[in-house]
Amino acid sequence: MAQTQKECIFCRVLAGEIPGEILHRDDHCFVIRDIAPIAPVHLLVIPLQHYIHATDASPDMDVTLGHLMAVAREMAKREGIFESGYRMAVNQGPHSGQTVDHLHLHVVGGRALELEG
Ligand code: AMP
Ligand code: ZN
C-alpha cells in the first residue's frame, strides 16, 4: 500500500524525525547511507520533493533525474568508487521490489556486483 508523505521514511529523515546522517544536501536532493547496505558503499540519493516514481508527472522531473545522477557521480568520487565502478538503480513499482514510495537512486559499489534479479 502506498505510504503517505507524512509516513514516508525519507521525508521523516529529512525532517530530522528519524536519525540518519545526511552526507550531502543541496537545493534538490540529499544523500544518506542505506540502512541495510548490500555492498561496502550503498548510498541513496533522494530528491527533497516527495516524488513516488521516476515517471511521476512533473515539469521538473527530467532535471531532477539528471541531478540525482550528477550527485551520484560526485558521491562516488567522494566514496572512492568512481574508478572501480558502481551501480545506479531506481526501483519502480511492485515487481522491482520498491519498498519506500519516495523516488531514490541507489548507488552501490566497493565490490564486484552480480546482475541480480
Ligand atoms: P527500495 O527497495 O528501492 O524502495 O529501497 C529502499 C531502501 O531504503 C532499502 O534498501 C532500505 O534498506 C533503505 N532504508 C529503509 N529505511 C531506511 C532508513 N531509515 N535509512 C536509510 N535507508 C533506509
Ligand atoms: Zn517522502
Side-chain angles (χ1 to χ4, degrees):
M1 190 190 295
Q3 299 127 12
T4 67
Q5 191 167 344
K6 204 160 175 260
E7 297 163 336
C8 171
I9 291 168
F10 296 157
C11 285
R12 296 190 67 201
V13 170
L14 186 60
E17 294 169 9
I18 295 179
E21 186 195 354
I22 295 180
L23 305 176
H24 164 89
R25 181 179 171 158
D26 60 38
D27 290 346
H28 306 287
C29 75
F30 66 107
V31 179
I32 57 176
R33 290 192 197 283
D34 197 292
I35 204 169
I38 61 163
V41 176
H42 187 168
L43 307 178
L44 302 172
V45 186
I46 307 169
L48 302 184
Q49 180 103 10
H50 179 87
Y51 299 117
I52 298 175
H53 295 138
T55 50
D56 284 2
S58 161
D60 299 331
M61 182 56 79
D62 289 358
V63 173
T64 298
L65 293 173
H67 183 70
L68 298 183
M69 296 193 100
V71 169
R73 178 186 66 225
E74 295 311 310
M75 292 304 301
K77 289 179 186 168
R78 258 172 70 174
E79 294 286 314
I81 59 169
F82 185 73
E83 300 295 340
S84 51
Y86 52 98
R87 178 170 296 153
M88 292 179 284
V90 174
N91 290 324
Q92 165 140 330
H95 275 185
S96 74
Q98 182 177 8
T99 56
V100 179
D101 289 337
H102 180 142
L103 171 63
H104 50 282
L105 179 64
H106 293 260
V107 180
V108 182
R111 70 170 172 85
L113 302 166
E114 311 259 324
L115 189 59
E116 289 140 29

